[in-house]
Amino acid sequence: MTPHFTLAELTRTDHRTLDNTPDADALANLQRLAEFLERVREVLGDKMVMITSGYRSAAVNAACGSRDSSQHRVGTAADIRVPGMSPDAVVRAVRASGLAYDQLIREFSDPKKGGGWTHISIPLLTAAPRKMALIIDKTGTREFS
């Protein structure tokens, strides 16, 4: 798809018995997402961006326990980890970059203990970027500050 992101990594799933083949619309979104992730990579100083979850078919999404409205379902979201950077640092860098992201979510990361990941998404072609930055953890959902 792009120099650093393949369709295989954007559609990889641990649920190997479930079909995770994107339709034409999701494939087009995944292309845009891969191009966006290249820009994210540049903003982060050309650090490696590891995709832990990208596109999810309805079956894979259900197996993950996620809502059907998840942006992963349409190929506009990826959960990422960046070696050497905390999810907080990733959110801050992307927010400051001026990139047209839709959502940045620090998910299940403890600033003191580490862990977690960053959910990053782009808007659908028909929508403006919302530029939302959130935290989701065991205490709930709130704005990233």
Side-chain angles (χ1 to χ4, degrees):
M1 299 197 99
T2 65
H4 298 102
F5 302 100
T6 66
L7 180 60
E9 69 185 317
L10 285 165
T11 58
R12 184 190 68 76
T13 179
D14 290 338
H15 301 281
R16 300 193 195 294
T17 60
L18 301 175
D19 182 24
N20 202 40
T21 306
D23 63 18
D25 289 339
L27 194 57
N29 286 335
L30 286 168
Q31 180 64 48
R32 290 187 316 109
L33 180 62
E35 292 166 5
F36 181 80
L37 289 171
E38 289 289 348
R39 292 191 297 279
V40 168
R41 203 173 180 281
E42 290 171 17
V43 163
L44 301 178
D46 244 3
K47 292 186 185 293
M48 178 175 43
V49 172
M50 298 168 45
I51 298 169
T52 59
S53 181
Y55 172 77
R56 297 182 199 146
S57 66
V60 169
N61 200 59
C64 292
S66 187
R67 295 180 185 163
D68 197 50
S69 60
S70 168
Q71 292 174 301
H72 290 274
R73 286 280 299 111
V74 294
T76 59
D79 294 337
I80 64 171
R81 287 192 173 117
V82 181
M85 289 186 79
S86 70
D88 280 6
V90 172
V91 170
R92 285 189 187 101
V94 175
R95 276 177 83 182
S97 72
L99 290 175
Y101 65 88
D102 193 55
Q103 287 186 318
L104 294 169
I105 306 173
R106 184 194 85 195
E107 294 194 55
F108 299 98
S109 173
D110 182 327
K112 294 178 183 171
K113 297 179 184 175
W117 60 88
T118 306
H119 168 98
I120 189 164
S121 67
I122 57 173
L124 293 171
L125 280 174
T126 57
R130 295 179 291 172
K131 291 206 166 188
M132 295 173 67
L134 304 169
I135 295 171
I136 295 176
D137 58 22
K138 63 183 177 183
T139 64
T141 302
R142 59 196 178 279
E143 286 189 38
F144 185 95
S145 54

